[in-house]
Amino acid sequence: MLIAILTITGLATAFGLLLGYANIRFHVEGDPVTDQIEALLPQTQCGQCGFAGCRPYAEAIAGGESEINLCPPGGEATMIALSDLLGRDPVPLSEETAEEKPKAIALIKEQECIGCTLCLQACPVDAIIGAAKQMHVVIASECTGCERCLPPCPVDCIVMEPISQESGGWRWPFPDSEHPEIVSAPPQ
Amino acid sequence: MYVESSKGKIRRLWDFHGGLHLPDNKRQSLQTDLTSATMPARLILPLRQHIGEPAIPLVKPGDRVLKGEKIADNTAPVCAPIHAPTSGIIKGIEAHSIPHPSGLNGPAIVLEVDGKDEWADLPAPINDFQNVDKSLLLQRIREAGIVGLGGATFPAAIKLNPGKAIRTLIINGAECEPFITCDDLLMQGAPDRILNGVRILQHILGAEECLIGIEDNKPDAISTLRSHLTDDEPIEVVRIPTLYPSGGEKQLIRILTGQEVPSGGFPAQLGVICHNVATTAAIADAVLEGRPLISRLVTLTGEGIANPCNMEVPLGITAADLIEQAGGYTGKSSQLIVGGPMMGFNLSTDQVPITKGSNCLLAPSEEEVPTTGSALACIRCGRCAEVCPVNLLPQQMYWFSRAKELEKVQDYNLFDCIECGCCSHVCPSHIPLVHYFRFAKTESWAKEKELQAADHAKKRHDFRIARLERLDAERKARLRKKKEDLGKKKPVKPAAKGEDAKKAAIEAAMKRAATKKAAQQSPPKNTDNLTPAQQKQVDAVDKHRAETTADQE
């Protein structure tokens, strides 16, 4: 009896030490699940999910505090990807979230800008340049279209311009099986 | 299979998987001799006529340009310049319909032709190219705006600089797609240009042997080229069996050398480079005559066109102009295709210009190229896999593309698909397989691009957060230091100064403040002498500002 107790205690101590050592030796900095979730988010940092940015939203999902259907720029594709990753059931997007907007970037109406620098402070990716009492301008190639600069502007001089589609970035549409592959008008 | 090549040598030929024997329909456009198109009143020159970055205009509306003058270029590594096909006035740089499957408009230079056809100063001909440095020849080819004229439109100078030792140069005269005959006529009509181009390419690449592969349905082209070869040259004209798509780059390499280009790889890895015959002829023109690429041969064919023929046309002429010169429409066709029936795409308007990559305008009747009806369900017959020249499994790829499972389609080597159209052609259910694969390809590229954009935005966001934290820390440090300094200074009384000095200092400070105030009150200097229009604009903006401020209050 005593031998059995001693053996079990000894084994428990040995494994406990081993696990304790492993925990220190193979310690992972940060939360890998959060990183994986963050990698799926579109990184527009728009805050439309109700969190301060993509990272805080990822942390909230990882902590189980938040639903996975709150990201409007990611849309359904992001929601499905998150449900695949986390093994959660897909949740339908709420009506306002599901509404697909065409991709747009911010444009400052130059005549109306008073140079207040409020939008500069709001931009999460530093895509607006300008200084106090100088005209501001959006760097089009860096703008993610998050719309965070719209509310702070005191003179409403920022508008969202949809990105014009040109043949360079054109995608083939999904084939419509109900109709012939390519519909073409007969040449006149 | 073994054939006798031009040198009297017996060459072994290999075959590739699949392929189709199609009715070649080449006879129609070979009835008449090659003619030159008459110059229209207006030419449309799209800025994107090649793979890579679009060219940037070097001219502005109103400029007069001469024939052969460079009018657009770009310093990006993958780009080809564009030249004026004739002399005239630049009318504008605007969005115009271009030959693109989307039917979307693209930026183009519009040239109003003045009819004088006046040449610009061309670079001097390089006749002894054997003794000239390779880089000079490559530069000449680049500056001439030459791209792959078989349809891929990849800038030729880049392809000629593979950075690897090249053993075999393959010249593609297969022209395997039905209806198209422009390469055939070029080989019959200008064998010297092609062979000179081959010699230049061989010099540039240092290739030991050169094989010109021509399908055996073009016996005249084969005999003409053979008769123009000299005996001591390492150039062979090889007759290959007619089988679609033997004119595909990888298929032709397989037929002539037995080697297979690895998935995702390039022919140069095998020591092989492949160029089209028309590209070769254009290179000869550029080097031996200094002439840039401003025209090309185009086949006009199909029962929908009154006089099917081949024409040498200036780049930028519209399809409508060209078809009118070929006798106009007969009304027997309901579609207009640019390229061949297998790989070409339908145009929604005939106002599109001919670009460097347009080799054929096809207006087929319903019997020649039937329009596919509605797609039926896949019956898993497997015929698509039997005919695929790249050994893919189109049926599996179809299911995954339809389910939009892009990663799975890529696992089935989606990007090795050459979009030859064999699978769609044989499908008994009329499933537009190639369309599905094109969808999956462009969708995958867009996904990739989005991921990169997200990564970039994240980097900028992280940098911003780090910057704000740093600034905050610096501000706090400054405050702390100030506080400490103040604490230190307190016990040390400032050196006593006379009353007068103190008074003078106060007065000076007040004076400074007064001037500053005066300067601030002076009105802005740029609002004098405004035009009424400017004044109106200023008023409108002021009003909008006042309204929004009032709203917010």
Side-chain angles (χ1 to χ4, degrees), chain A residues 111 114 121 125-126 142, chain B residues 456 460 464 467 537 545:
Chain A
Q111 291 108 324
I114 54 171
Q121 294 156 34
V125 289
D126 283 338
E142 307 295 348
Chain B
H456 184 67
R460 286 182 73 89
R464 177 187 157 86
R467 179 172 61 88
Q537 214 174 359
R545 225 176 253 160

Side-chain angles (χ1 to χ4, degrees), chain A residues 154-172:
Chain A
V155 290
D156 279 353
C157 74
I158 308 179
V159 286
M160 298 306 291
E161 281 278 302
I163 300 170
S164 68
Q165 206 196 26
E166 60 108 15
S167 47
W170 178 75
R171 306 185 210 174
W172 279 85

